[in-house]
Amino acid sequence: MAGKGIEKRGGFVGKILRVNLTTSEICEDELSDDLKSQYIGGAGINAKLLFDNLREKMEINPLSPDNPLIFGAGPLVGTKFPCATRYTVTSKSPLTGLFGDSNAGGHFGVKMKQAGFDHIIIEGKAEFPSLLLIEKGKKPQIIEVHDIWGMDTYETDEYIEKRFGSDFESARIGPAGENLVRYASIFSGRKRVSANGRAGMGCVMGSKKLKAVLVKGDGIIPSADEVKFDSLVREYSKLWSESPAVAANSEYGTLILIAQLGTEVAKKNDQGRISEEELSKYDITEFAEKYKAGKSSCFFCPVGCSQKWKVNEGKYRGEEGDKIEFGHYVNLGPLLDIYDFPTLFHLANLTNRMGLDVTQFGWNLAMAMECYQRGIIGQEDTGGFHLNWGDADLVEDMIMKVSKREGFGNLLAESIPEIIRQLGSRTSPYGFHTKGMTFPYNRKQVLPMGLASSVATRGADHMKGHPYSALVGAKDMLARIFGKDSPEEIANPLSPVAKGRVVWWHENFKMAIDSLGLCFIPVAATNIFGNPLILFNELYEIYEAATGVKDINLFHSAERAYQLEKGFNCLLGIKRDDDMRKGTTRGEEDPIEHPGMLDEYYFYRGYSKEGLPCRKRLEEIGFGELMELLEENGKLVEDDVFSIKDFVSK
């Protein structure tokens, strides 16, 4: 029975805040036991709330006032559990027109829970630029703020601190969100800056004339079984504070991936890979010794991976910042043929301030630069700009023009399919995307990631189902998940064999992590390099102690939430061809067609080979309402697929 075994409330605050910016109506709903047990929390419940709000109007324009913007933080967020600060923002994506969400850390999700809400659903559109002010024990307010519109994300936070005090955490947009750049981000936090960077959640927020959401609260979210939960807190705090792998992330943040991936990083719109000489320009030891100016941490985090930096010489002398990630390096560095730290820091700082998704911006500009290189477009198309590789001043200009939708930047503020539509079909081979969103991967070297990025519900992306077990050959982990009789090639990232099942499992695993509110970094680092493994058994033990929810199958709950995201897209017409990489194939055959890749993924995910959901899987997880809607729209098939009834994910 749904909700069975809830002994007392723990982990959850138990409230959903609903805000209509058009009518100024604000009300509260109870967070039902069914939602908790069937969708876990955070990202999973967000998906259900989006589905419920749009099921009768799936074709809605993402920039319509009726498209909800949903904030959600899972049951571990705000408790004493280490590294449990992640919250998710969900909406129909203005970049892809499909399911969209984005996950971030820091302190905003914690403050949201402390203020009294697990989820916030924002609908409508304000008449004037506004803030949503949420303070514990007080009625939320919608406040007009004409003077704040036009400020960047950092200026906005400074304004908020001066006007409302330093106890508030804000989730805010910059000029990119205000000007409806399709891939605008939401930035949050002051003690630790974080970004909901993908799928254009900042664009949805801008379409509602909502500059920022402010939250203020205090206290620790209680757990159902305090004795057991405190024991687990001590166990994992010790594990992660002493882990060598986690220590590397503490020292270098996600920049550690520069050394780990080496020369496998794409350059110049994926025309090739960087050289050893080019890689040496981004030596992370030099970063730590010459530029690192400290670090910041999320709430109750023993890692502290967010790196602060300062430039002490040269063109950008005196510039400093508090957020530099591997994504900045890839998409503003080698992808655009730029190779020095100070320039990278400067450009990263601009994208952060403007509120841009650096991944989509980098690939949009790289596509245009290659088309310019090949003579497909010229200055008459770019507004007089020479789109030359390695031109940092040009990149700076484009960041500003995209954020303000000026000139050629107005085109680059769109999705790659729209850019191709406007510039013509000759540009198509140079615009990489899947379902309208872009994420880079080397299809030959990291086959599991290639598949995961292709089938991800929000478009080409690595964080919906990061298949790290097969990327690093984690044989013990794979044997525990799939049994010791699995094909030997399952652990080989260069082999396409048995990768479909790996991606399916990791999608559910990541859904569980995002729904609980855990950070991916310490969990993955421990599974790869440490001991013991943290898989579904361990996650359930933590979840049960926190919430008091017993006798549920956490794996099936994660499966249900992911099926909802897939079903959402299916109702909008997504099928097999949409799960294939478009553009920049360089004439190579896509290994996704191997039987162990996409076909196997569909079989394990419960989909037909045409990419349509099958009745058998939805019946197994008791998902009648989605099944009925798919059947009404002719999207449900009867094929035989993998049965999860007896699958035990440990």
Side-chain angles (χ1 to χ4, degrees):
M1 182 177 69
K4 177 183 177 183
I6 298 179
E7 296 175 346
K8 76 171 191 176
R9 190 172 73 202
F12 298 100
V13 180
K15 295 287 184 181
I16 300 172
L17 180 68
R18 292 183 178 270
V19 178
N20 190 308
L21 297 170
T22 302
T23 65
S24 298
E25 182 181 0
I26 300 175
C27 62
E28 296 179 12
D29 289 341
E30 293 292 324
L31 183 64
S32 71
D33 290 346
D34 282 353
L35 282 175
K36 297 174 191 176
S37 61
Q38 293 185 18
Y39 299 96
I40 305 172
I45 292 179
N46 271 18
K48 174 63 166 141
L49 294 173
L50 180 67
F51 176 77
D52 287 347
N53 274 266
L54 295 184
R55 61 179 300 163
E56 302 298 330
K57 45 187 175 183
M58 294 293 293
E59 299 295 335
I60 193 173
N61 187 321
L63 301 185
S64 165
D66 291 336
N67 184 26
L69 185 69
I70 304 169
F71 291 73
L76 296 185
V77 177
T79 69
K80 292 180 283 187
F81 201 82
C83 304
T85 70
R86 308 293 297 187
Y87 72 99
T88 298
V89 181
T90 305
S91 189
K92 188 176 183 182
S93 168
L95 180 67
T96 67
L98 304 172
F99 177 87
D101 71 357
S102 192
N103 188 262
H107 295 255
F108 181 87
V110 173
K111 288 288 185 183
M112 186 176 85
K113 292 277 293 286
Q114 291 172 340
F117 301 102
D118 300 285
H119 298 266
I120 303 170
I121 303 174
I122 302 171
E123 294 180 289
K125 178 180 180 179
E127 185 176 357
F128 303 105
S130 300
L131 299 176
L132 174 60
L133 186 71
I134 304 169
E135 185 172 358
K136 182 179 181 180
K138 297 183 179 181
K139 184 178 180 179
Q141 303 176 60
I142 301 169
I143 301 173
E144 290 183 20
V145 281
H146 297 270
D147 52 343
I148 202 172
W149 203 253
M151 291 184 180
D152 70 34
T153 61
Y154 287 72
E155 291 168 341
T156 301
D157 200 46
E158 291 167 3
Y159 169 98
I160 288 168
E161 182 172 359
K162 289 178 182 177
R163 179 170 173 179
F164 299 101
S166 60
D167 291 335
F168 281 96
E169 284 286 317
S170 68
R172 67 266 183 192
I173 58 172
E178 297 171 358
N179 294 307
L180 307 185
V181 175
R182 295 282 175 174
Y183 47 90
S185 303
I186 298 172
F187 274 71
S188 63
R190 177 178 301 105
K191 300 172 184 175
R192 195 274 193 187
V193 176
S194 299
N196 299 94
R198 310 264 24 218
M201 298 298 99
C203 180
V204 177
M205 195 161 162
S207 74
K208 297 183 178 302
K209 285 286 184 183
L210 183 62
K211 181 65 174 179
V213 179
L214 280 61
V215 288
K216 179 182 178 181
D218 55 22
I220 300 297
I221 306 302
S223 54
D225 185 341
E226 293 286 358
V227 174
K228 179 64 179 293
F229 193 71
D230 286 349
S231 175
L232 291 169
V233 167
R234 291 191 295 272
E235 176 185 343
Y236 286 97
S237 295
K238 184 175 188 296
L239 177 66
W240 289 333
S241 63
E242 297 178 356
S243 165
V246 173
N249 279 285
S250 178
E251 179 66 17
Y252 303 108
T254 57
L255 296 184
I256 189 68
L257 292 170
I258 296 176
Q260 292 176 352
L261 291 183
T263 56
E264 286 304 317
V265 172
K267 64 181 288 186
K268 298 171 72 172
N269 200 40
D270 204 15
Q271 294 184 66
R273 296 287 176 265
I274 63 172
S275 67
E276 290 285 355
E277 181 181 0
E278 289 164 338
L279 177 62
S280 69
K281 303 292 180 61
Y282 286 113
D283 186 294
I284 58 172
T285 303
E286 180 185 6
F287 162 76
E289 294 175 350
K290 193 172 181 180
Y291 301 109
K292 183 171 179 176
K295 64 178 185 175
S296 57
S297 301
C298 298
F299 183 79
F300 277 176
C301 175
V303 182
C305 68
S306 190
Q307 305 296 299
K308 297 183 179 183
W309 54 268
K310 184 174 183 179
V311 179
N312 294 310
E313 58 187 17
K315 181 178 180 180
Y316 305 111
R317 181 178 180 178
E319 189 168 354
E320 55 189 320
D322 54 8
K323 186 171 184 61
I324 183 71
E325 305 286 354
F326 180 72
H328 292 115
Y329 156 72
V330 171
N331 300 296
L332 297 175
L335 189 67
L336 304 180
D337 213 31
I338 290 173
Y339 301 98
D340 71 271
F341 272 124
T343 301
L344 175 68
F345 297 151
H346 174 69
L347 297 176
N349 207 23
L350 283 178
T351 58
N352 293 346
R353 286 183 171 275
M354 293 299 105
L356 283 173
D357 170 14
V358 69
T359 301
Q360 197 64 53
F361 168 80
W363 281 90
N364 281 15
L365 180 55
M367 172 201 174
M369 292 172 86
E370 182 170 3
C371 289
Y372 185 85
Q373 167 196 328
R374 297 181 181 278
I376 297 171
I377 63 173
Q379 287 179 268
E380 66 278 9
D381 302 294
T382 67
F385 283 94
H386 296 282
L387 303 187
N388 295 325
W389 297 110
D391 186 341
D393 291 335
L394 166 75
V395 178
E396 179 175 340
D397 284 341
M398 286 299 111
I399 290 171
M400 302 306 293
K401 289 193 175 299
V402 166
S403 300
K404 297 177 181 179
R405 277 191 172 269
E406 294 177 349
F408 191 59
N410 188 48
L411 177 61
L412 295 185
E414 298 291 334
S415 68
I416 281 183
E418 178 60 19
I419 293 172
I420 292 169
R421 189 190 70 79
Q422 292 195 36
L423 290 181
S425 59
R426 290 180 64 205
T427 64
S428 181
Y430 309 105
F432 160 44
H433 71 94
T434 305
K435 296 187 281 290
M437 196 165 91
T438 301
F439 175 75
Y441 54 82
N442 184 334
R443 290 178 299 148
K444 288 185 175 180
Q445 297 298 317
V446 285
L447 297 185
M449 184 66 84
L451 176 60
S453 298
S454 290
V455 301
T457 50
R458 62 183 182 183
D461 178 66
H462 65 311
M463 291 307 292
K464 294 299 286 186
H466 194 302
Y468 59 87
S469 63
L471 293 177
V472 300
K475 294 181 180 179
D476 290 346
M477 180 176 171
L478 289 164
R480 180 171 150 187
I481 297 168
F482 298 107
K484 295 182 179 179
D485 58 348
S486 299
E488 185 176 345
E489 299 95 327
I490 194 172
N492 181 359
L494 302 179
S495 169
V497 173
K499 297 307 181 290
R501 70 192 74 177
V502 173
V503 170
W504 161 70
W505 185 91
H506 275 280
E507 284 177 340
N508 286 359
F509 187 58
K510 187 59 165 51
M511 173 60 77
I513 289 173
D514 289 347
S515 298
L516 291 170
L518 274 174
C519 179
F520 177 73
I521 288 177
V523 174
T526 304
N527 283 346
I528 294 171
F529 301 107
N531 187 38
L533 290 172
I534 304 169
L535 306 183
F536 273 92
N537 280 359
E538 290 73 22
L539 292 182
Y540 177 74
E541 183 181 30
I542 300 165
Y543 171 74
E544 182 185 5
T547 66
V549 179
K550 301 178 183 295
D551 301 322
I552 71 164
N553 187 317
L554 198 63
F555 183 80
H556 284 194
S557 295
E559 170 80 18
R560 182 179 294 107
Y562 209 84
Q563 286 288 349
L564 193 54
E565 294 185 8
K566 295 282 286 187
F568 187 99
N569 287 347
C570 185
L571 288 165
L572 290 168
I574 294 301
K575 51 189 184 302
R576 184 186 182 97
D577 183 63
D578 299 295
D579 282 339
M580 310 291 285
R581 174 176 176 155
K582 307 297 192 298
T584 61
T585 59
R586 310 296 176 189
E588 298 174 354
E589 182 179 349
D590 196 334
I592 200 172
E593 293 285 13
H594 185 279
M597 296 277 278
L598 189 57
D599 284 351
E600 183 179 276
Y601 168 78
Y602 284 149
F603 177 71
Y604 275 82
R605 176 49 71 196
Y607 270 53
S608 72
K609 288 187 177 181
E610 291 71 39
L612 294 173
C614 297
R615 184 185 304 276
K616 177 180 177 180
R617 174 60 53 81
L618 297 181
E619 286 180 341
E620 283 187 327
I621 60 175
F623 214 155
E625 61 176 329
L626 178 60
M627 190 164 57
E628 291 172 8
L629 192 57
L630 289 165
E631 190 166 31
E632 288 173 11
N633 287 272
K635 304 292 185 181
L636 190 68
V637 297
E638 305 292 339
D639 290 12
D640 187 35
V641 291
F642 179 72
S643 173
I644 64 169
K645 189 181 299 182
D646 301 317
F647 179 78
V648 179
S649 185
K650 300 176 181 179

